[in-house]
Amino acid sequence: AQELVESGGGEVQPGGSLTLSCATSGFSGSGAYMGWFRQGPGNYREGVAAWNARGSSPIRYADSVKGRFTLSRDNAKNIMYLQMNSLKSEDTGMYYCAAGTLGLKIATLANADYRYWGQGTQVTVSS
């Protein structure tokens, strides 16, 4: 079965850091692209960072997190990470790992382009 499991969320003060992990299984050889999404209180679910090996620009970040968040992968262990630095209160939300298998050639931040979702891990940034 194809699975995505997030971990690493927690509560931190503004300016702090967290690293989220997404353990994946069942996507080997599928050409899947992956992304991190979040949904804060009262907000829509937005794409934060995305990876697609087929893209001319393999990694894409939302403007709101550029320079602060870094997406990386451990291909041997099938784990995707999101290193989050200089966290702000507006970064608070439920963070989801997602995968898509539509054969797209871009690193997409669009919800509709993803079919497989993890259960989410909560990130809370507060004083």
Side-chain angles (χ1 to χ4, degrees):
Q2 295 166 302
E3 293 183 299
L4 302 165
V5 181
E6 304 97 333
S7 62
E11 185 172 357
V12 298
Q13 294 185 334
S17 298
L18 281 175
T19 298
L20 306 182
S21 299
C22 174
T24 71
S25 62
F27 293 101
S28 296
S30 68
Y33 45 90
M34 301 184 66
W36 286 101
F37 294 77
R38 70 185 181 189
Q39 186 167 16
N43 293 322
Y44 62 90
R45 186 164 62 189
E46 64 174 333
V48 174
W51 167 85
N52 189 343
R54 300 177 66 185
S56 58
S57 298
I59 300 177
R60 183 191 301 269
Y61 297 100
D63 288 342
S64 60
V65 307
K66 286 181 179 177
R68 299 188 298 119
F69 290 12
T70 302
L71 184 156
S72 62
R73 285 170 45 84
D74 185 331
N75 292 325
K77 297 182 178 181
N78 296 312
I79 300 175
M80 180 176 68
Y81 301 96
L82 185 68
Q83 175 67 48
M84 306 185 294
N85 299 322
S86 301
L87 285 163
K88 307 173 181 179
S89 60
E90 52 262 45
D91 294 318
T92 293
M94 185 70 73
Y95 282 69
Y96 299 91
C97 176
T101 56
L102 298 177
L104 301 179
K105 298 180 180 179
I106 62 170
T108 174
L109 295 174
N111 285 264
D113 291 333
Y114 293 83
R115 185 163 73 246
Y116 304 94
W117 297 83
Q119 294 300 305
T121 184
Q122 178 68 35
V123 172
T124 301
V125 184
S126 64
S127 300

